[in-house]
Amino acid sequence: MANDGNASYHSPLRATAEAQLTNTSSSETSTRSAEEFLHELRVHQIELEMQNESLRQTQIALEESHDRYVDLYELAPVGYITLTQAGLIEGINLTGVTIFGSERSSLLSKDFRSFVIGKEQDRWIRHFMKLQRQQEPAPVELELLRSNGTSFHALLDCVIQMSATDGMLIRITLSDISRLKNAEATLSNNRQIFSSILKTTLDGFWRVDSAGLLLDVNPAYCEQSGYTHDELLGMHIHDLEAVETVTETAAHIKKVMKNGGGQFESRHRRKDGSHWDVEISATYREIEGGQFFAFLRDITERKVTETKLQLLSQVVEQSPSSIMITDLDACIEYVNATFIKNTGYSFSDVIGKNPRFLQSGKTPRSSYTKMWAQLTHGETWTGELFNRRKDGSEYIELASMSPVLQHNGQASNYLAIKEDITQRKAIEERVEYLAHFDQLTGLPNRHLLNDHFRFALSLAQRSSEPMSVLFLDLDHFKDINDTLGHSAGDQLLLAIATRLKAALREEDTVSRQGGDEFIIILPGTDADGAAQVAAKIIHEVSRPIIVDLNELTTTVSIGIAVYPHDGGDEESLSKAADSAMYYAKDAGRNSYHFYTSAMQEISTRNLLLSNALRFALIRNELTLHYQPQISIQDGRVVGVEVLLRWQHPEMGSISPAEFIPIAENSGQILAIGEWVLRTAVNQMKDWIELGLSPMILAVNLSAVQFRQPRLPELITSVLDEIQFPYNLLELELTEAAAMDDPDAAIAMMNKLNELGIRMSIDDFGTGYSSLSYLKKFKVYKLKIDQSFVHDITHDSDDKAIVAAIINMAHSLGMQTIAEGVETSGQLAFLRLQGCDEVQGYYFSKPLPAMQLEQFIKQAIKQAM
């Protein structure tokens, strides 16, 4: 059989079957035909079995492949839908069912169009018909409906498939792209938002390539830089930077490229060349060769603010005031260096503590109560605190405390600014003491006396009781200062003050007014009581006082005024007591005197004259009269004495004896004296130019003028200006003025004598001058006072005095002139004693310049 029908058939299966059969019967022969037939059958059987096994394996493989296909089809990530030519759903996989959210059975045989939302159905129909005509794959995006009524975005890839049995079928691959669409919408929205942000943000924006060229900028940076958008594109970032930051920025960019981002500060340059500070927040991305994205914030104001804050911080830290900040529970959060310096506590010592540990216990509790009441009401409290340092020493602070308010008006902290005023308080106390007490004696001064005076006066007024005021002035106190020095004088004043306090009651007040003047107020004391106190004081003051081993004895002159008899207020009583004191001085000192109305009249007139005298020169009220001085030997006019006169338009003629002391006390004598000198010298020069013989011009000097250091310069400047001979001027100084300070007088006379200016002593014999000083005075003439001349014809004492003066002067090489000669007998006695010159009413009274000129001319005619 094998040879007949299958001689050429050799399959792999047969070969395998024959090999198996041969192996099993290798010992048998194959010569017999029956056996060959059986052998052939056996081969076919094995071959069939092998075919069956192969078919079975193929069936298993086909089933496994089908299962895999079903799994892939059903569980594919996309939906598979098969539509008929009419658009009905013929098949749909599990994913598609899941996408629609329905059962498979409810989807099959349904028109696919019913799952397309209404607004998309026309577009689906057009796409479906176009697909059938062209029979080409065509994707389409549609919004489809799920079974629960919600919609989703789907991408449909449609393919036409022709089937012999089913005809045209449409295979659709359905992808739910809702997330993608939402992502695209979100991305689009984000892009719009980002674009809007870039356009509206106040921060600048850069998009820069890896080479540093600008690819894009936003409007804010255009506004910041002053460049337009087109001008900026393509510029290098270094073109926009200030020179000083280019290197730093390059280093920052390297870090940004390395780290993918970073933040740094730089300084940019505007188109107009000005600069501004920027804070750059940059990121780097490896796209299109690498790009930088950077936001640039203008921090110019912030930098200014930071500078100000840094300055403020330095100011606070270095403030000379102590600064403390606490929380609302009064726990310390900050103190500055001044606090640490002032208190001795370190920063760690005080942080977290309540400031009460500084309290010394001397601050009134009411101060703390008021402080917290004001702070809790949002108000500032200012006051003094008595605190204690770490070393235990106490100090005083002037504190200003206030709540720190936030924008909402709520307090967040308490701020205390304190100044150590310990030294200031000590100074204030000292100043207060000095303002009310005499620094030397510790007695109340004028200011405090006024308070005591008003209080005592008010008591006297309410109780209708008397009150006495005593004005004290030490006698010849200046002599002690001049001889022993001011230190000795101060010791004497201190001893006198102690004695005065001891002599008075507790309710009495003794005050030093300055120098050697004291005022005493005696409440409830009448004139008799005041006299007793005054007598007691005179006795106590006159007791010897030992000063620097010197036993000093001084006296006091006291003036007394009594309320209400001598005045009803402080000023009138003080003036009355002062006037009475001067009366006691004039009466011989070392006594007391009560005030009288006559003394008040004199005081009032003196004040009136002092005020009027200030305008006398300006109003030409002052004039000069001249009294001729006659030579006894030949009767010639050898000189004139200049005498000042004041004619007031209302008060009339005022005596020099009255207004000269007032001018000296007020200091007006200096201006008046210069006017007298200048006017008299000019007048004498006019007379000489008119042909009169040169004469001595005798001008009186007051003690005030004589004490002026610049007196020689003043006199010589006037004489030089007028070109008047020095030797024709004679300056007359009273003996009392010369003896007030003999040594100073000698020095001044020496200066004038060296200049060639003559000097004479006026009123000689009334000043108790010492012969030893008289010898040293550089004077050439003594003027005998008229009080001795008046009675020389019948008073033996005056005769002896005048004769002695003339003889002494001649012995010293001086000339003499007698004033006040009114009779021939006086003239005869003076001639007999050898007096050189005379003046007086016997010859002429003081005359105005024109009358004196006539007098001199007449005297010349008589002589001729």
Side-chain angles (χ1 to χ4, degrees):
M1 290 180 63
N3 292 331
D4 293 335
N6 297 309
S8 62
Y9 175 73
H10 294 286
S11 68
L13 290 177
R14 183 177 180 84
T16 301
E18 287 180 348
Q20 291 179 356
L21 185 60
T22 302
N23 289 336
T24 56
S25 58
S26 58
S27 60
E28 296 178 359
T29 61
S30 55
T31 55
R32 290 178 298 178
S33 58
E35 290 176 351
E36 291 177 350
F37 178 77
L38 289 173
H39 176 75
E40 188 71 24
L41 289 176
R42 291 285 302 274
V43 170
H44 281 290
Q45 182 181 0
I46 292 171
E47 184 178 3
L48 288 174
E49 288 175 355
M50 293 175 66
Q51 289 178 348
N52 288 336
E53 181 62 22
S54 176
L55 289 174
R56 189 177 67 83
Q57 292 297 327
T58 300
Q59 181 64 34
I60 292 173
L62 287 173
E63 290 177 356
E64 290 178 351
S65 176
H66 180 268
D67 290 342
R68 284 196 300 271
Y69 169 78
V70 169
D71 289 343
L72 291 173
Y73 173 77
E74 293 290 346
L75 302 177
V78 295
Y80 292 124
I81 303 174
T82 301
L83 300 183
T84 65
Q85 189 173 1
L88 301 179
I89 298 175
E90 186 178 79
I92 183 169
N93 68 345
L94 183 59
T95 300
V97 172
T98 303
I99 291 174
F100 281 102
S102 182
E103 298 291 334
R104 193 190 306 266
S105 58
S106 62
L107 295 173
L108 295 176
S109 302
K110 294 291 183 65
D111 190 345
F112 183 78
R113 186 175 63 175
S114 64
F115 295 98
V116 180
I117 62 173
K119 63 180 181 179
E120 301 264 2
Q121 288 186 0
D122 289 342
R123 189 157 70 90
W124 163 249
I125 293 173
R126 290 194 298 274
H127 180 78
F128 188 73
M129 294 177 65
K130 181 179 179 182
L131 181 67
Q132 291 181 353
R133 290 194 302 271
Q134 296 180 353
Q135 294 185 357
E136 293 179 358
V140 63
E141 290 185 11
L142 292 175
E143 189 172 354
L144 304 181
L145 291 172
R146 294 188 178 92
S147 60
N148 60 3
T150 61
S151 63
F152 64 97
H153 291 278
L155 175 64
L156 285 72
D157 285 318
C158 304
V159 178
I160 297 296
Q161 182 178 348
M162 301 303 297
S163 171
T165 57
D166 298 326
M168 180 183 291
L169 295 176
I170 295 91
R171 306 290 187 182
I172 298 175
T173 301
L174 174 66
S175 299
D176 186 348
I177 60 171
S178 296
R179 290 183 180 180
L180 178 61
K181 297 295 287 186
N182 291 338
E184 290 178 350
T186 300
L187 179 60
S188 176
N189 185 53
N190 289 343
R191 286 176 177 172
Q192 292 178 0
I193 293 174
F194 184 69
S195 177
S196 177
I197 290 173
L198 290 182
K199 291 179 180 179
T200 59
T201 183
L202 298 178
D203 293 338
F205 174 76
W206 275 356
R207 185 164 64 89
V208 185
D209 66 15
S210 59
L213 299 177
L214 286 174
L215 302 176
D216 194 12
V217 295
N218 68 340
Y221 189 79
C222 295
E223 183 177 353
Q224 290 173 353
S225 65
Y227 290 99
T228 65
H229 185 273
D230 293 340
E231 289 174 333
L232 288 169
L233 295 186
M235 291 181 68
H236 196 280
I237 59 174
H238 292 330
D239 297 335
L240 299 170
E241 283 194 290
V243 175
E244 61 266 25
T245 62
V246 170
T247 303
E248 294 180 2
T249 300
H252 286 304
I253 289 176
K254 289 183 179 179
K255 290 183 179 179
V256 170
M257 293 180 68
K258 179 180 179 181
N259 301 328
Q263 189 178 70
F264 57 93
E265 292 182 4
S266 182
R267 172 167 289 189
H268 282 200
R269 185 180 64 254
R270 298 184 178 91
K271 185 177 181 179
D272 62 9
S274 61
H275 292 172
W276 88 100
D277 294 304
V278 294
E279 180 183 73
I280 301 176
S281 298
T283 57
Y284 178 75
R285 294 292 179 266
E286 292 285 354
I287 56 173
E288 299 181 4
Q291 291 187 10
F292 294 93
F293 301 89
F295 281 95
L296 302 94
R297 175 162 295 178
D298 186 344
I299 58 171
T300 305
E301 290 187 9
R302 192 183 81 187
K303 296 288 283 187
V304 172
T305 301
E306 288 176 353
T307 301
K308 290 180 178 179
L309 288 175
Q310 184 179 9
L311 176 61
L312 178 61
S313 176
Q314 292 174 343
V315 169
V316 170
E317 189 62 23
Q318 300 174 21
S319 170
S321 298
S322 173
I323 298 177
M324 174 195 296
I325 300 175
T326 73
D327 60 19
L328 295 181
D329 293 326
C331 293
I332 297 175
E333 293 184 347
Y334 169 81
V335 292
N336 69 345
T338 303
F339 174 91
I340 295 171
K341 177 182 177 182
N342 288 350
T343 65
Y345 289 99
S346 67
F347 192 84
S348 59
D349 287 338
V350 302
I351 295 302
K353 291 185 178 180
N354 190 294
R356 67 171 63 94
F357 72 89
L358 295 169
Q359 296 176 7
S360 67
K362 294 185 178 180
T363 304
R365 185 170 296 276
S366 58
S367 296
Y368 294 116
T369 303
K370 185 176 181 181
M371 177 187 74
W372 283 113
Q374 290 184 214
L375 289 177
T376 52
H377 283 82
E379 300 172 357
T380 298
W381 176 84
T382 301
E384 294 181 359
L385 299 176
F386 295 81
N387 288 337
R388 181 179 287 109
R389 299 183 179 90
K390 188 175 183 179
D391 62 8
S393 60
E394 294 182 355
Y395 65 105
I396 307 173
E397 288 185 311
L398 178 61
S400 177
M401 301 185 184
S402 57
V404 179
L405 303 179
Q406 301 302 311
H407 295 297
N408 59 4
Q410 296 297 315
S412 61
N413 296 86
Y414 292 122
L415 170 67
I417 301 177
K418 301 182 289 183
E419 179 184 1
D420 187 342
I421 60 172
T422 308
Q423 186 175 3
R424 187 203 302 175
K425 293 292 287 186
I427 293 174
E428 287 176 356
E429 290 177 1
R430 179 62 178 166
V431 171
E432 181 72 13
Y433 177 84
L434 294 177
H436 294 90
F437 293 91
D438 177 57
Q439 188 173 4
L440 174 63
T441 64
L443 296 177
N445 62 9
R446 188 185 305 274
H447 182 75
L448 185 56
L449 174 70
N450 292 338
D451 293 341
H452 288 198
F453 209 133
R454 285 190 290 269
F455 180 72
L457 189 59
S458 65
L459 289 179
Q461 291 170 344
R462 288 197 300 269
S463 59
S464 299
E465 292 182 351
M467 181 187 74
S468 295
V469 179
L470 278 60
F471 202 107
L472 286 68
D473 186 271
L474 299 182
D475 300 328
H476 301 297
F477 178 72
K478 183 176 182 298
D479 295 341
I480 297 175
N481 270 339
D482 291 344
T483 56
L484 299 179
H486 289 281
S487 176
D490 289 346
Q491 294 181 57
L492 177 63
L493 289 173
L494 187 57
I496 295 297
T498 302
R499 292 184 179 184
L500 291 176
K501 287 189 290 185
L504 300 175
R505 302 169 300 177
E506 185 177 350
E507 62 266 29
D508 299 333
T509 299
V510 56
S511 166
R512 182 185 177 212
Q513 297 298 287
D516 59 344
E517 294 181 346
F518 299 85
I519 290 182
I520 296 175
I521 301 174
L522 304 174
T525 305
D526 58 12
D528 291 339
Q532 294 177 14
V533 173
K536 183 179 180 181
I537 290 173
I538 290 173
H539 172 72
E540 291 295 324
V541 171
S542 63
R543 289 191 294 111
I545 299 173
I546 304 300
V547 175
D548 294 336
L549 302 180
N550 296 305
E551 184 177 271
L552 303 179
T553 300
T554 186
T555 59
V556 64
S557 298
I558 304 175
I560 304 173
V562 181
Y563 169 84
H565 182 266
D566 297 326
D569 55 38
E570 175 186 352
E571 183 177 0
S572 60
L573 288 170
S574 296
K575 288 183 177 179
D578 188 24
S579 298
M581 183 273 295
Y582 279 106
Y583 192 88
K585 287 274 190 186
D586 295 338
R589 297 181 171 85
N590 194 27
S591 63
Y592 64 85
H593 199 279
F594 283 92
Y595 173 75
T596 64
S597 57
M599 292 172 57
Q600 177 62 37
E601 292 175 3
I602 294 173
S603 176
T604 301
R605 179 170 172 80
N606 287 343
L607 178 61
L608 183 64
L609 290 176
S610 179
N611 291 332
L613 192 58
R614 298 181 186 279
F615 305 98
L617 276 177
I618 300 174
R619 296 170 180 171
N620 296 318
E621 296 173 3
L622 299 180
T623 59
L624 297 182
H625 284 202
Y626 304 88
Q627 189 173 35
Q629 295 176 332
I630 310 298
S631 171
I632 287 183
Q633 300 301 323
D634 54 14
R636 290 183 305 107
V637 179
V638 294
V640 292
E641 180 183 6
V642 181
L643 299 168
L644 182 61
R645 297 291 183 264
W646 182 14
Q647 184 68 31
H648 192 274
E650 297 176 358
M651 293 183 285
S653 179
I654 302 169
S655 170
E658 186 177 19
F659 74 77
I660 292 297
I662 294 174
E664 290 179 332
N665 291 333
S666 64
Q668 299 178 66
I669 192 64
L670 298 177
I672 293 174
E674 183 179 351
W675 177 84
V676 169
L677 177 64
R678 189 180 300 276
T679 304
V681 169
N682 272 310
Q683 182 60 66
M684 180 59 72
K685 186 177 182 182
D686 290 343
W687 283 335
I688 294 173
E689 290 176 351
L690 288 173
L692 297 183
S693 299
M695 298 175 289
I696 297 298
L697 183 66
V699 179
N700 291 283
L701 282 181
S702 75
V704 176
Q705 289 176 280
F706 191 66
R707 286 194 293 266
Q708 293 300 309
R710 295 187 65 257
L711 178 63
E713 290 82 353
L714 172 64
I715 294 173
T716 54
S717 66
V718 172
L719 296 180
D720 292 342
E721 177 186 336
I722 301 174
Q723 297 182 351
F724 189 79
Y726 285 18
N727 62 344
L728 294 182
L729 178 64
E730 176 187 314
L731 300 177
E732 292 188 2
L733 183 67
T734 64
E735 185 182 11
M739 293 306 299
D740 182 60
D741 188 350
D743 293 333
I746 291 171
M748 180 59 73
M749 289 178 183
N750 288 338
K751 291 181 180 179
L752 294 171
N753 183 68
E754 291 172 359
L755 294 172
I757 298 172
R758 300 182 181 186
M759 287 209 67
S760 64
I761 298 296
D762 194 10
D763 299 337
F764 189 78
T766 62
Y768 309 102
S769 59
S770 169
L771 183 60
S772 63
Y773 280 117
L774 187 59
K775 291 191 299 182
K776 297 178 181 178
F777 287 162
K778 297 291 185 180
V779 296
Y780 88 105
K781 185 187 292 184
L782 297 181
K783 178 176 280 191
I784 303 171
D785 188 70
Q786 61 182 345
S787 63
F788 301 116
V789 175
H790 186 269
D791 295 326
I792 58 174
T793 58
H794 57 273
D795 190 310
S796 59
D797 291 338
D798 287 344
K799 288 181 180 180
I801 292 172
V802 171
I805 293 174
I806 294 172
N807 289 331
M808 180 187 65
H810 288 167
S811 299
L812 296 174
M814 301 178 185
Q815 295 185 17
T816 57
I817 180 172
E819 62 179 351
V821 178
E822 297 178 352
T823 66
S824 59
Q826 294 169 343
L827 177 61
F829 178 82
L830 293 169
R831 180 180 288 118
L832 181 63
Q833 298 300 319
C835 186
D836 299 299
E837 299 172 7
V838 291
Q839 70 181 82
Y841 275 43
Y842 181 76
F843 302 98
S844 173
K845 65 179 181 180
L847 300 171
M850 187 173 294
Q851 293 181 23
L852 180 67
E853 181 181 338
Q854 295 301 321
F855 174 86
I856 295 174
K857 289 179 180 180
Q858 186 64 33
I860 293 174
K861 288 181 181 181
Q862 291 176 357
M864 295 176 64

